[in-house]
Amino acid sequence: MTSPSNPNRVNASVRAGRIDRTRTLNATVDGRPVHGRPGDTLASAMLAQGDIEVAPSIQLGRPRGVLSADCTEPNALVQLLDGACPEPMLPTTEIELREGLRAETLSGVGWLSQQRDTAGYDKKFVHTDVVVVGAGPSGIAASLAAARGGARVILVDQHRELGGMLLDGRADIAGHPATEWIGRAARELAENEQVRVLTRSAALGYYDHNYLLVAESRTDHMAVPPPSTSRQRLWHVRAKQVVLATGAHERPVVFADNDRPGVMLASAVRSYLNRYAVLPGREAVVFTTSDSAYSTALDLLGAGARVPAIVDTRPEPSARLVEQVRAAGAHVVTSAAVVATTGQHRISGVRVRGLDDDGSLTGWSSEFSCDLLAVSGGWNPAVQLFAQCGGAVRWDPVVAGFVPRTTGGRSAKVVGSARGTYDLAGCLAQGFAAGAEAATLSGFRTAPPPVPQVDGDRQGSRPRPVWLVPDESRPPERCTEHFVDLQRDATVADMYRATETGMRSVQHVKRYTTISTGLDQGKGSGVNAVGVLAEILAANSPGEVGTTTFRPPYTPVPLALFAGRTRGELYDPVRTTPMHHLHVEAGAVFEDVGQWKRARYYPRGAEDMHAAVLRECAAARTGVAVQDVSTLGRIEIVGPDAPVFLDRIYTNGFAKLAVGKARYGMMCGADGMVLDDGVSMRLAEDRYLMSTTTGGAAKVLDWLEEWLQTEWPDLDVYCTSVTEQWAAVAVVGPDSRTVVGRLAPDLDVSADSFGFMRFHETSLTGGIPARISRVSFSGELAFEVNVPRWYGEALWEATMTAGSDLGITPYGTETMHVLRAEKGFVIVGQDTDGTVTPVDLGMDWAVSKQKDFIGKRSLSRPDLVREDRKQLVGLLPTDTTTLLPEGSHLVEPDVSRQPPVPMLGHVTSSYHSAALERTFALGLISRGQQRFGDVVCVPVDGRDVEVEITSPVFYDPEGVRRDGPAQG
Amino acid sequence: MTVPHKVETDTAAAEVATALRHGPLEHRAAEFERRSASGARGVRLREEPFLTQLDLRTSPGSSSAASVADALGLPLPAANRVSGDEHDAVLWLGPDESLIVAPDGRAESLLRTVRTAQQGGSGSVVDVSANRTTLRLSGPMAREVLEKLCSLDLHPRAFGPGDCAQTLLGRVVVVLWQLDHEPGYRIMVRCSFAEYLADLLLDAMAEFLDG
């Protein structure tokens, strides 16, 4: 009847099961072989071999066995060893067996691998009219009804095939086994192109506005996954209507030694037998509080097992059921409970006592030997998703479970056992009705199909839950072997200890005892804990105690799933200019400026940054140098009110700027603090081209739009980002005029014809249209050449060619920083930090006294005219070779170093200068503009560095270099 | 006094200059070809560089909006719609913003046309042809690929030929424009993001290369 390696596998003539007996799959657990069939879980394959015992418990080291056949499993946890990365804490009940699977059992704690997870994870965003969670009878019915109405439907289920609990049972639908109905439904759904069925997919979270996250396992069941298919996929689902057919979980019973291997949920026993053709025991006592476990007893008997007793807590179970099991060969003990188990490791027998009406033990007792105890403490509707999205639950004494307080309306429709409806006809009727209503509400009017005739599993009479089976000898506060949460080894005694310290709230007791904090987040233990607490507190019902909060995710998933593809190279956009590859070829070292890659310096040979920057600076000051400035932000500002608008945005005036000219502008926030700066050109009476800092481009456009849209909608002005319409180079140095003259042969570049802060439009050699301006961020003669972006590469190459005989030197951001700092030009965001005004920077000249502008009123606030404000200064270390670390504090030389030491300010920029042949720095220091010549201290690594406060303009203070050498 | 927005160049010079242009993804054309797949589970990617693109701002319902539409010969589109075809089109970008799209080389004449039509009224038109490049994603699995990156509803009942949207693909702002039922899409992306976006799309396409 059975093979020697799989003694518990039932012959196909007794139970076919949902397995493929033509193929064998080989796995290893703790190094020992496990042989199973396609369709097996790791748990069912191990049970087929007779392996019911798993690793010992987490705290107490007690022997434990497989308890469940679903995601509530507390004991049978393993670490997967094969696959891309060892994954911890997976219940064997949820692992599909695959060839080559390797695992080790865990005592409640897994380990994190140091290995990089090379498996793929991705995401998908989908929208639907109706999403149905759970593909049991109710969910299938809901999906069929909604799909027949024409709605877009997504059906989500955790398992590999549709059917839910129907696959565990033996019901008939419309006169045939339920599996036939499931098969027809699955085909109908698969053929409807508006329906998407996601199997092996767990709905993790249900959020506002019918937004759900679903984790799909795509390749774990395959021995050899396709190379480019993600291992798991996170579906972001937005639905008009949500139907929750999430089913129910059976709960265990709390009695002495209820954790012994061989104690198994009655529904799990049934699932192993009917779905997996595995008989977990030959002699099974059934201990129940409701009708459902009678089906387990009948199936066990039908499969040839002995059932020495059905222990029912109820005084009068359904006479029909009692008669049915009696006819099949089992006898029912009523008003009774299992009070103890015996056995070395695995259970070998149970002791049964009578229960009186108030739950106390009565005088009689009885003992039964067994190798399996199928327990049913009742059913917990799986209300987790419903509650996550704000749905309230209530205790329903009739079904003895927490059920949704309301369903339908604006909230999700909850159907079937998820709302405590356990009869198949009722589940189908609710599913059809909810599916049709959901379709109708999303615009696809339809009526529910008729409910087919069903036969088989029937449940009806009221359960009698017993939250705490009294111990035969000990008071409840000493019940240290009545386990409430097996995964946490938490007992009734632990709960008493919590309440004895004064805790009453289930939330506090949960956290104190750690009950429901395990892998299953209380799916198995939560309601039992509520029930026990209700007993301890002498509450009228578990409803008075209430539940803990249900939070996503519904089941654990790897964090890598949430990262999806945004790892490594794809982590964040890398923005490059059209000349980027030329910088790479030139050996540039890059730095990140926002998302941009900008060349920082171009080392030659073995040069370090220091040497390269000194060389690049020298080229810019004595010859000619070139920088890619394509990253600067550019905004075209158009309309008759553009002059007025810019006057209000910038602290200095732009309305009177002549067409053809450019001006440096500074803008402040409403608080008067420097926001951004840049040069704007007037292209026409009604048209300006504003430039912004590289990092400020998006922020400035938002800023302009905010003022236009919310404060000044009367202004006829439009702003358009043209940052990437243009590629640009800055050509800098005394020889720059020669280079630009060669680049633009049609343009008169002489100082007389091409004045500072002027621009011209021309054609470069080769016919490239260009706009050339004379702006300088270095104090040297300099030009900025702008061309449409697709000419960027040609522009760079042409510039390098035009300057080759002059030794034209490409330079990066580091040199740009040094050159501008030598002239005392600030960089917004480096020398300012949101607390600095233009006046603090000594740029009063750029702050108009005549006109109004954003921030003007703030600039006259008492705090902003305080004399001791920090002001921009130059800093020269007495030792000309000492480089001050940026960010260093400035203190008085004679001040005590006992904290708190008064801080005068800090260093904002600090460099070596080729032109000055020394180090120098910029800084912000209190009363700085009155302190030129003073010496202050910068503590560096426990040593004081003396620095002299100077004007921030170190180089060419007269500005004679701006127009370049006189032309000969 | 007005500085001419573009320098008039003679035709020969313009042709020489045209040869100096490079699309940001030009160097990856062969890679796109190699990583595209045909057939029932196919999806293809290529760059369509140098399309003429003008950013048009008009006050909706104004007389200047009407005269711009007249001059273009295309109605200004309704929200998230495209008027015209894949050669000459106007895409809705916002209540007062549209994108005029035309074949390569039409920027100057279109600028003149629109500015003339806007004469005396409110509005602006700016050449942004070089600001974005265009990726064309097509094939039976094109929507499947986009659904990995885009949170919009792209189901045929919600988004079809002639629909467009400014949206995010991954972390990149794009203009997404569906051209046909195959489905085929144009994805217009700022040039600096083009490489990263191409990487994202090729990554999302990879599973359809497995066959």
Side-chain angles (χ1 to χ4, degrees):
Chain A
M1 215 179 119
T2 55
S3 86
S5 73
N6 290 316
N8 290 348
R9 183 75 80 187
V10 180
N11 200 302
S13 62
V14 178
R15 281 297 186 282
R18 310 293 297 169
I19 55 166
D20 173 6
R21 293 177 195 249
T22 64
R23 288 168 53 212
T24 302
L25 297 175
N26 304 293
T28 55
V29 175
D30 294 335
R32 295 181 22 229
V34 175
H35 306 291
R37 305 291 192 189
D40 265 324
T41 60
L42 183 56
S44 71
M46 291 175 74
L47 283 170
Q49 300 190 161
D51 297 333
I52 205 165
E53 190 172 337
V54 296
S57 72
I58 181 170
Q59 303 290 352
L60 306 171
R62 290 168 67 98
R64 290 283 160 83
V66 180
L67 180 79
S68 76
D70 59 23
C71 64
T72 66
E73 177 58 39
N75 297 330
L77 305 175
V78 294
Q79 179 109 19
L80 280 188
L81 301 175
D82 61 336
C85 182
E87 188 173 355
M89 296 293 279
L90 295 167
T92 59
T93 51
E94 295 281 287
I95 299 172
E96 280 183 49
L97 194 65
R98 64 168 179 267
E99 182 65 31
L101 181 146
R102 283 189 302 120
E104 66 183 31
T105 54
L106 298 173
S107 286
V109 184
W111 44 272
L112 285 177
S113 169
Q114 297 299 310
Q115 211 172 308
R116 183 183 162 80
D117 186 354
T118 56
Y121 300 85
D122 66 2
K123 297 182 186 182
K124 196 122 188 195
F125 300 87
V126 288
H127 299 245
T128 187
D129 295 310
V130 182
V131 63
V132 180
V133 181
S138 330
I140 291 175
S143 302
L144 287 174
R148 285 173 190 170
R152 291 157 67 184
V153 177
I154 294 177
L155 172 61
V156 175
D157 192 86
Q158 275 187 288
H159 295 102
R160 70 186 173 94
E161 55 177 345
L162 308 188
M165 298 260 304
L166 283 175
L167 301 178
D168 297 332
R170 296 166 59 74
D172 284 347
I173 298 178
H176 298 281
T179 47
E180 287 185 24
W181 181 81
I182 297 166
R184 275 198 309 278
R187 277 193 300 281
E188 179 178 335
L189 294 172
E191 284 162 8
N192 184 331
E193 65 174 22
Q194 300 307 331
V195 178
R196 194 190 301 257
V197 177
L198 295 176
T199 52
R200 298 186 173 98
S201 298
L204 302 179
Y206 175 22
Y207 308 90
D208 287 350
H209 307 292
N210 288 343
Y211 180 48
L212 287 89
L213 285 184
V214 176
E216 180 193 13
S217 173
R218 303 182 76 209
T219 62
D220 277 358
H221 58 287
M222 302 175 179
V224 185
S228 300
T229 298
S230 55
R231 176 186 177 223
Q232 291 182 18
R233 173 169 285 174
L234 189 64
W235 292 77
H236 294 247
V237 179
R238 278 203 187 275
K240 292 195 182 110
Q241 295 287 319
V242 176
V243 179
L244 297 176
T246 42
H249 299 124
E250 195 168 28
R251 55 185 177 242
V253 188
V254 179
F255 55 93
D257 290 329
N258 59 340
D259 63 333
R260 201 179 290 281
V263 177
M264 193 181 279
L265 292 171
S267 60
V269 172
R270 199 165 185 233
S271 178
Y272 287 120
L273 178 55
N274 293 327
R275 193 188 287 225
Y276 302 102
V278 171
L279 192 56
R282 301 301 159 102
E283 190 163 37
V285 170
V286 175
F287 174 24
T288 188
T289 61
S290 65
D291 289 353
S292 64
Y294 283 77
S295 304
T296 303
L298 288 166
D299 286 352
L300 284 167
L301 290 162
R306 287 186 303 282
V307 177
I310 297 173
V311 180
D312 196 324
T313 54
R314 299 172 297 178
E316 286 176 31
S318 147
R320 179 182 59 83
L321 287 174
V322 172
E323 177 52 30
Q324 248 182 311
V325 293
R326 196 196 56 76
H331 101 107
V332 179
V333 187
T334 59
S335 292
V338 172
V339 292
T341 62
T342 54
Q344 278 302 321
H345 274 241
R346 183 171 182 157
I347 194 166
S348 60
V350 296
R351 201 170 145 77
V352 175
R353 292 275 297 265
L355 277 182
D356 67 17
D357 288 348
D358 68 2
S360 312
L361 301 183
T362 60
W364 67 267
S365 72
S366 186
E367 284 175 7
F368 300 93
S369 66
C370 62
D371 60 358
L372 190 68
L373 174 61
V375 297
S376 176
W379 292 82
N380 298 327
V383 294
Q384 286 85 355
L385 286 178
F386 174 78
Q388 276 178 21
C389 198
V393 297
R394 67 178 172 86
W395 179 255
D396 183 337
V398 177
V399 301
F402 285 101
V403 297
R405 192 178 289 275
T406 54
T407 89
R410 282 176 58 219
S411 61
K413 297 168 200 357
V414 185
V415 294
S417 47
R419 70 188 241 200
T421 300
Y422 297 114
D423 70 296
L424 180 53
C427 287
L428 292 173
Q430 285 176 10
F432 282 138
E437 193 194 346
T440 301
L441 288 171
S442 39
F444 300 87
R445 177 168 289 282
T446 185
V451 178
Q453 191 67 39
V454 302
D455 188 25
D457 301 347
R458 266 187 293 179
Q459 294 176 17
S461 46
R462 271 178 81 151
R464 182 197 178 188
V466 174
W467 302 113
L468 172 50
V469 176
D471 193 85
E472 288 198 279
S473 56
R474 288 190 270 190
E477 61 272 21
R478 286 177 47 217
C479 285
T480 54
E481 276 136 27
H482 280 55
F483 287 89
V484 180
D485 188 335
L486 280 76
Q487 196 174 164
R488 291 293 189 225
D489 266 345
T491 64
V492 168
D494 295 326
M495 292 190 66
Y496 267 92
R497 199 173 314 121
T499 56
E500 280 160 12
T501 63
M503 296 180 198
R504 294 294 177 271
S505 158
V506 65
Q507 305 277 15
H508 294 154
V509 172
K510 165 185 171 172
R511 281 156 183 80
Y512 186 79
T513 59
T514 73
I515 288 170
S516 300
T517 62
L519 185 78
D520 69 326
Q521 288 288 292
K523 288 189 205 70
S525 59
V527 174
N528 276 349
V530 171
V532 172
L533 187 59
E535 299 251 309
I536 295 174
L537 300 177
N540 288 318
S541 86
E544 252 178 53
V545 171
T547 66
T548 54
T549 307
F550 299 100
R551 295 189 179 88
Y554 175 73
T555 52
V557 283
L559 276 174
L561 179 60
F562 295 97
R565 305 306 299 156
T566 47
R567 299 167 60 179
E569 298 281 296
L570 298 178
Y571 175 68
D572 198 45
V574 172
R575 303 177 69 183
T576 54
T577 72
M579 300 85 123
H580 182 78
H581 69 280
L582 298 175
H583 307 322
V584 173
E585 286 165 19
V589 174
F590 292 89
E591 74 167 333
D592 293 332
V593 181
Q595 291 172 321
W596 289 100
K597 288 279 178 214
R598 294 198 74 183
R600 190 173 188 195
Y601 60 99
Y602 296 78
R604 280 189 193 157
E607 274 182 346
D608 61 5
M609 183 170 87
H610 175 69
V613 170
L614 287 179
R615 175 178 50 74
E616 292 171 13
C617 285
R621 293 268 184 238
T622 61
V624 59
V626 57
Q627 187 188 16
D628 178 359
V629 294
S630 306
T631 60
L632 290 180
R634 297 172 187 84
I635 300 166
E636 205 160 312
I637 295 163
V638 181
D641 294 325
V644 176
F645 179 55
L646 283 196
D647 259 5
R648 294 182 190 176
I649 291 291
Y650 279 126
T651 59
N652 47 339
F654 276 78
K656 292 184 187 137
L657 180 69
V659 173
K661 286 193 172 176
R663 180 169 291 166
Y664 171 84
M666 172 154 277
M667 59 180 83
C668 289
D671 55 4
M673 302 304 164
V674 173
L675 187 78
D676 204 80
D677 67 349
V679 170
S680 288
M681 306 179 192
R682 190 161 195 177
L683 304 179
E685 286 298 330
D686 62 348
R687 188 172 288 263
Y688 292 81
L689 180 63
M690 172 188 283
S691 70
T692 73
T693 58
T694 296
K699 180 185 67 184
V700 170
L701 183 61
D702 288 349
W703 178 246
L704 302 183
E705 286 290 351
E706 181 184 337
W707 285 91
L708 278 177
Q709 291 180 24
T710 65
E711 300 298 327
W712 305 321
D714 53 306
L715 291 187
D716 188 353
V717 178
Y718 292 100
C719 301
T720 306
S721 167
V722 289
T723 296
E724 304 211 24
Q725 171 68 16
W726 302 100
V729 295
V731 185
V732 177
D735 291 335
S736 59
R737 181 174 281 131
T738 311
V739 173
V740 173
R742 291 172 183 171
L743 268 180
D746 300 339
L747 188 66
D748 182 352
V749 294
S750 66
D752 294 342
S753 300
F754 198 159
F756 185 59
M757 284 294 180
R758 303 294 295 249
F759 65 92
H760 293 284
E761 300 190 350
T762 184
S763 281
L764 307 185
T765 37
I768 299 173
R771 181 184 289 131
I772 302 181
S773 57
R774 258 199 67 196
V775 294
S776 178
F777 197 37
S778 57
E780 296 298 324
L781 175 68
F783 297 82
E784 190 181 293
V785 185
N786 284 265
V787 297
R789 197 145 186 113
W790 46 48
Y791 292 114
E793 200 180 331
L795 170 65
W796 184 266
E797 285 176 333
T799 309
M800 293 302 289
T801 305
S804 62
D805 61 326
L806 298 167
I808 192 166
T809 302
Y811 70 95
T813 50
E814 198 63 28
T815 292
M816 181 263 281
H817 284 184
V818 178
L819 295 173
R820 64 86 202 176
E822 289 170 346
K823 284 290 292 175
F825 296 150
V826 298
I827 291 185
V828 174
Q830 171 152 352
D831 302 296
T832 71
D833 60 2
T835 67
V836 180
T837 71
V839 180
D840 296 337
L841 296 174
M843 296 174 73
D844 319 47
W845 55 268
V847 180
S848 172
K849 305 278 185 294
Q850 274 80 47
K851 62 166 184 111
D852 200 3
F853 58 85
I854 297 168
K856 178 162 185 161
R857 272 163 291 174
S858 296
L859 290 178
S860 56
R861 281 175 54 225
D863 188 58
L864 298 197
V865 296
R866 255 179 33 229
E867 296 214 329
D868 63 346
R869 285 189 65 79
K870 291 179 187 171
Q871 295 166 331
L872 185 77
V873 295
L875 298 168
L876 289 175
T878 310
D879 170 10
T880 60
T881 62
T882 301
L883 184 70
L884 300 173
E886 288 173 355
S888 303
H889 285 283
L890 301 164
V891 299
E892 296 290 2
D894 50 359
V895 76
S896 154
R897 294 306 160 86
Q898 202 56 38
V901 183
M903 301 293 170
L904 305 177
H906 65 280
V907 176
T908 59
S909 298
S910 175
Y911 310 100
H912 290 277
S913 165
L916 306 175
E917 296 181 324
R918 57 161 300 143
T919 57
F920 73 107
L922 297 175
L924 289 165
I925 186 166
S926 178
R927 299 176 202 274
Q929 282 153 16
Q930 277 89 58
R931 298 199 59 180
F932 293 176
D934 287 1
V935 172
V936 291
C937 276
V938 179
V940 179
D941 296 333
R943 188 172 64 85
D944 271 0
V945 177
E946 285 192 339
V947 299
E948 183 190 342
I949 300 174
T950 69
S951 152
V953 184
F954 297 97
Y955 186 73
D956 184 26
E958 303 79 20
V960 297
R961 303 189 60 83
R962 191 189 74 187
D963 295 318
Q967 276 166 302
Chain B
M1 185 185 96
T2 295
V3 174
H5 187 72
K6 287 268 177 177
V7 177
E8 300 293 331
T9 52
D10 64 70
T11 320
E15 273 173 26
V16 173
T18 298
L20 296 172
R21 296 185 305 182
H22 295 286
L25 297 171
E26 194 178 278
H27 60 293
R28 300 185 68 175
E31 181 191 0
F32 292 173
E33 182 71 27
R34 196 172 63 248
R35 295 174 71 175
S36 293
S38 51
R41 281 176 59 77
V43 55
R44 306 178 302 278
L45 182 68
R46 64 183 166 89
E47 187 186 16
E48 291 185 310
F50 312 131
L51 293 184
T52 293
Q53 299 169 59
L54 306 183
D55 190 274
L56 172 69
R57 307 293 292 269
T58 57
S59 179
S62 66
S63 62
S64 109
S67 57
V68 168
D70 274 353
L72 292 171
L74 288 171
L76 297 188
N80 288 117
R81 290 287 297 165
V82 179
S83 68
D85 55 28
E86 70 173 86
H87 303 291
D88 288 279
V90 184
L91 282 67
W92 187 92
L93 297 186
D96 67 353
E97 188 172 14
S98 308
L99 187 71
I100 302 170
V101 178
D104 184 13
R106 294 264 306 280
E108 285 179 47
S109 63
L110 275 170
L111 276 176
R112 272 196 301 274
T113 304
V114 175
R115 283 194 180 141
T116 306
Q118 282 180 331
Q119 208 69 216
S122 147
S124 94
V125 61
V126 175
D127 181 10
V128 290
S129 304
N131 195 54
R132 296 189 192 91
T133 191
T134 304
L135 282 160
R136 189 156 178 149
L137 184 77
S138 51
M141 290 298 112
R143 176 161 69 95
E144 299 281 325
V145 168
L146 289 179
E147 280 178 351
K148 295 186 188 183
L149 302 171
C150 178
S151 64
L152 293 184
D153 188 359
L154 301 177
H155 185 278
R157 286 183 185 172
F159 197 90
D163 284 330
C164 72
Q166 290 198 85
T167 184
L168 285 169
L169 293 189
R171 299 178 182 186
V172 182
V173 177
V174 300
V175 178
L176 179 66
W177 169 10
Q178 185 166 347
L179 296 171
D180 53 42
H181 286 285
E182 187 188 19
Y185 301 89
R186 270 185 179 153
I187 303 164
M188 310 176 95
V189 60
R190 281 185 287 159
C191 294
S192 68
F193 288 99
E195 291 256 11
Y196 174 81
L197 180 63
D199 290 341
L200 273 187
L201 287 167
L202 291 171
D203 179 71
M205 289 162 64
E207 72 173 304
F208 303 111
L209 273 185
D210 288 350

